[in-house]
Amino acid sequence: MTLCEYKPGLENIPAAQSSISYVEGKEGTLEYRGIPIEELASKSNFIETAYLLIWGELPRKEELEAFEHEIRFHRRIKYRIRDMMKCFPETGHPMDALQTSAAALGLFYSRRALDNPQYIREAVVRLLAKIPTMVAAFKLMRRGHDPVQPRDDLPYSANFLYMLNEREPDPLAAQIFDVCLTLHAEHTINASTFSAMVTASTLTDPYAVIASAVGTLAGPLHGGANEEVLAMLEEIGSVENVRPYLEERLQRKEKIMGFGHRVYKVKDPRAKILQQLAEQLFEQSGGDKYYEIAVELEQAVEEKLGQRGIYANVDFYSGLVYRKLGIPTDLFTPVFAIARVAGWLAHWKEQLAVNRIFRPTQEYTGTHNASYIPIEER
Ligand code: SDX
């Protein structure tokens, strides 16, 4: 006897009780621990936001300094992980490289001391600190270059851009990138967070939890959409081609990447802020062809699909910002992962506090008492 009917994709089925973030789809509201995302994007930074999400409140000055200091000094990765990454094929997707190297972290740190708060804190610090290093390292290694060591004298976002491009970013670029991380940090029970929670509920180690979530985020219907959006804008090629392109894609019943959302039935509040960041960046350099195509496409999609509640989501403008910051297209989703590690870790901790292993049921649609037919008779 099932308590509730089967809903494809568990649509509108609560899988947890959580106080980490709140999304309201009709108004387009997003809050982290009750604070509106607009406030955090304009007044906070990613490390402070990660602390808020994971430990549940804004840190006092000395708490933030200690947290930030620990993360700075855990950015390096073991040489054996670097050597392992050197064996990855240069044509491999960076999300596969990240999932593999994130799981490899578990080989180096004791497993399953989940009842030890110090172990929990160390795992939080190590994952927040090392994931950016691994993303940047693979970008250089797949071109046959040695990765650069993280710099302890740079703040979190500036250090990532430094490791990625081998030069210090300009302050505006680092600041805009940091806001992008804050915007992508958490979003209630999305697919990759749900993966993290299910994996966490078996009491495995946190590195396996994050590797599971990275694999889920990689899909084009989830975090992988930002990479697809850029490819789509390049395929459209001009503002004049936007509407014919859209018409054709809709005729073929193909989804438009960067649009639609299971919860938001208005424009994603994060897309609004990312669009402002894109405008800020492009003001500096006199506009951008792909941004103009994106604005035209958003307008066209709204005309066609707006009445069905399909609007731009977080992935629509993020790629334009990342491209302007010198991030290669196939690293857009790993950048999403760098940010979402904060949310995944927050849900990991919350799951452990009230853990019960996930084991849903099913509505069986198969047969019973079937016979085994010998192969020669099939
Ligand atoms: C993220 O869950 C989260 O919070 C995720 C995320 C986060 O922060 O973690 O916000 C990040 O993943 C954002 C979404 C990125 N994905 C994309 O941009 C890919 C394109 N979007 C779609 O695949 C889709 O909108 C989803 C997956 C995002 C949501 O899908 P749903 O809620 O399961 O909706 P659906 O696929 O059942 O679509 C309902 C209808 C369908 O039409 P019908 O078959 O009923 O006629 O709307 C149509 C869909 O075809 N539709 C679209 C569309 N999205 C939905 N049609 C064209 N283009 C689209 N983008």
Side-chain angles (χ1 to χ4, degrees):
M1 186 272 284
T2 50
L3 290 179
C4 62
E5 65 172 295
Y6 163 61
K7 296 283 280 179
L10 295 181
E11 183 162 8
N12 292 328
I13 302 283
Q17 289 180 327
S18 177
S19 58
I20 298 169
S21 65
Y22 171 72
V23 173
E24 199 290 320
K26 294 188 183 60
E27 302 293 317
T29 305
L30 170 58
E31 296 167 349
Y32 292 172
R33 298 287 184 186
I35 303 175
I37 190 65
E38 295 78 6
E39 285 276 282
L40 290 166
S42 60
K43 297 174 183 166
S44 185
N45 61 58
F46 175 64
I47 291 300
E48 183 180 70
T49 299
Y51 188 103
L52 168 71
L53 289 167
I54 295 165
W55 273 284
E57 53 196 17
L58 288 169
R60 291 191 305 279
K61 189 169 182 301
E62 63 277 10
E63 289 172 323
L64 179 59
E65 282 170 358
F67 187 55
E68 210 269 343
H69 179 85
E70 284 173 60
I71 289 173
R72 267 178 202 254
F73 292 94
H74 277 85
R75 288 169 174 168
R76 294 178 194 289
I77 53 177
K78 302 278 186 192
Y79 77 85
R80 278 174 285 189
I81 290 190
R82 267 208 317 277
D83 290 353
M84 173 189 79
M85 293 176 77
K86 284 178 182 160
C87 301
F88 294 172
E90 58 280 356
T91 52
H93 194 286
M95 280 299 274
D96 294 323
L98 180 57
Q99 185 177 25
T100 309
S101 43
L105 287 174
L107 294 166
F108 293 88
Y109 306 109
S110 68
R111 290 168 68 87
R112 301 199 187 113
L114 300 179
D115 53 354
N116 174 345
Q118 185 51 32
Y119 172 82
I120 299 286
R121 181 167 178 110
E122 279 170 6
V124 164
V125 166
R126 283 185 173 127
L127 282 158
L128 284 171
K130 297 179 191 305
I131 295 283
T133 307
M134 295 191 291
V135 170
F138 183 65
K139 183 223 171 185
L140 293 182
M141 287 199 266
R142 69 178 175 180
R143 294 210 185 118
H145 303 306
D146 274 321
V148 300
Q149 286 290 19
R151 276 185 42 187
D152 305 337
D153 62 325
L154 291 175
Y156 192 86
S157 290
N159 172 61
F160 173 70
L161 294 174
Y162 161 75
M163 293 189 294
L164 197 71
N165 299 321
E166 299 181 88
R167 65 179 182 282
E168 278 189 51
D170 76 65
L172 176 64
Q175 197 262 329
I176 285 180
F177 181 74
D178 198 77
V179 175
C180 290
L181 293 182
T182 295
L183 293 171
H184 285 81
E186 158 65 13
H187 210 247
T188 73
I189 318 292
N190 56 84
S192 53
T193 297
F194 187 46
S195 276
M197 292 162 63
V198 172
T199 308
S201 76
T202 69
L203 301 187
T204 186
D205 67 84
Y207 307 97
V209 169
I210 297 302
S212 172
V214 170
T216 306
L217 185 71
L221 293 189
H222 189 14
N226 55 17
E227 181 180 339
E228 305 281 331
V229 167
L230 234 295
M232 178 178 66
L233 296 176
E234 285 164 358
E235 195 183 338
I236 292 174
S238 70
V239 170
E240 295 68 36
N241 190 32
V242 162
R243 283 169 162 71
Y245 176 91
L246 177 61
E247 204 52 51
E248 255 178 62
R249 255 190 103 138
L250 292 176
Q251 289 293 338
R252 294 199 301 265
K253 288 254 177 258
E254 287 175 12
K255 293 190 171 172
I256 316 301
M257 293 292 123
F259 289 90
H261 200 278
R262 177 64 61 80
V263 182
Y264 291 124
K265 300 310 169 192
V266 291
K267 184 167 179 176
D268 188 323
R270 300 167 295 178
K272 290 180 184 170
I273 301 170
L274 283 159
Q275 184 173 7
Q276 290 160 8
L277 295 175
E279 285 172 352
Q280 209 180 331
L281 271 175
F282 299 139
E283 255 158 39
Q284 262 199 343
S285 57
D288 180 89
K289 163 182 164 184
Y290 293 112
Y291 177 67
E292 282 150 38
I293 294 172
V295 171
E296 182 70 14
L297 178 61
E298 183 184 8
Q299 177 64 37
V301 171
E302 190 170 326
E303 288 162 12
K304 288 271 180 193
L305 303 174
Q307 77 281 10
R308 296 172 59 190
I310 297 167
Y311 290 87
N313 62 45
V314 66
D315 288 307
F316 187 58
Y317 286 107
S318 56
L320 287 166
V321 175
Y322 295 154
R323 188 173 65 93
K324 197 71 191 164
L325 297 179
I327 297 170
T329 304
D330 67 357
L331 284 180
F332 291 175
T333 310
V335 165
F336 193 151
I338 288 172
R340 191 52 60 89
V341 166
W344 294 332
L345 287 168
H347 285 274
W348 168 62
K349 272 178 90 270
E350 191 176 63
Q351 180 65 33
L352 290 181
V354 288
N355 191 47
R356 184 143 194 264
I357 191 168
F358 278 91
R359 204 302 182 198
T361 183
Q362 62 174 14
E363 285 178 356
Y364 181 62
T365 58
T367 59
H368 292 287
N369 306 317
S371 313
Y372 178 79
I373 301 163
I375 192 160
E376 54 278 0
E377 295 171 23
R378 291 174 203 160

